[in-house]
Amino acid sequence: MSETTDIVSATASSVSAIAAIVAAVGVWYARGQLKTSREIAQLQFEDALGKEYRELATRLKPKAMLGEELSEQEYQEAFDELFHYIDLSNEQVSLRQRGRISLEVWKSWRTGIGNNLALPAFARAWAEIKEKSSSFHELRRFESEGQKCDPADWR
C-alpha cells in the first residue's frame, strides 16, 4: 500500500509540476501577445495621424508646400487648412508629451513640423494664430525650445 501511495504521490507531484510549467508558458505567451497587440495599436494610431497629415497636405496649394509665396487671395483661401495644420502639429507635440507617440515617429514629425513652420505661408499663418490666440501651448513651447527638443521630457 505504501508503494502505491508513493506512486500516486509522485504522479501527482509530476502532474502539478507539468501544470505549473504549462501555466507559466501560457502566461509568457499571453504577455507576448499583449505586447504585440499594444505595438500594433500604437502603429495604427501613429499611422492614422500620418494619414490625417497627408490628407491635409493634399488640400493645401502645392505652392505653400513648396515654400513659394502665396498671393493674398491664395493665402486667405488656404488659411483654414493652414490653421488645421497648426492644430494638428500642436496635437502631435501634445501626444508626444503624453507618451502616446514613439521616439522614432516623433523624430520624423518634429523635423516635418519645424520644416513646414519655416515655409512662408505656414510661418505667416502661425504668426497670425499666435497673435490672435493664447492656445497652442505645446507648439509654442516646441518652437521656443528648438527642433531638437523632446516633449516627452517635459513631463
Side-chain angles (χ1 to χ4, degrees):
M1 182 131 154
S2 174
E3 194 175 305
T4 304
T5 304
D6 289 344
I7 292 173
V8 170
S9 178
T11 302
S13 293
S14 296
V15 168
S16 291
I18 291 170
I21 291 169
V22 168
V25 168
V27 168
W28 176 80
Y29 180 75
R31 182 177 170 263
Q33 288 299 101
L34 181 59
K35 183 179 182 232
T36 299
S37 294
R38 282 185 190 159
E39 289 170 354
I40 290 170
Q42 178 75 24
L43 289 172
Q44 289 173 335
F45 178 69
E46 292 170 347
D47 286 347
L49 287 165
K51 182 179 180 193
E52 185 177 345
Y53 167 75
R54 288 187 300 279
E55 289 172 355
L56 181 58
T58 63
R59 294 191 305 263
L60 284 164
K61 294 200 173 293
K63 285 174 67 173
M65 298 299 295
L66 293 172
E68 297 176 21
E69 294 287 337
L70 300 181
S71 70
E72 185 60 30
Q73 180 179 344
E74 289 172 325
Y75 174 77
Q76 293 304 323
E77 290 170 358
F79 184 79
D80 284 352
E81 300 307 332
L82 293 166
F83 181 89
H84 292 303
Y85 175 78
I86 300 296
D87 185 52
L88 175 62
S89 296
N90 188 72
E91 181 65 14
Q92 289 172 320
V93 176
S94 176
L95 289 167
R96 177 61 187 157
Q97 180 183 12
R98 291 180 280 153
R100 299 279 317 277
I101 302 300
S102 68
L103 179 59
E104 182 180 329
V105 168
W106 170 247
K107 286 179 180 179
S108 173
W109 286 2
R110 74 179 178 197
T111 301
I113 292 168
N115 291 343
N116 284 342
L117 289 179
L119 298 173
F122 292 87
R124 179 179 173 190
W126 179 221
E128 189 175 324
I129 291 165
K130 285 189 292 187
E131 183 180 308
K132 293 179 179 180
S133 170
S134 60
S135 298
F136 305 100
H137 306 287
E138 293 84 358
L139 191 56
R140 289 171 191 268
R141 186 168 177 184
F142 169 78
E143 179 182 48
S144 71
E145 292 197 13
Q147 217 179 77
K148 295 296 179 191
C149 72
D150 185 353
D153 297 335
W154 298 348
R155 292 185 246 162

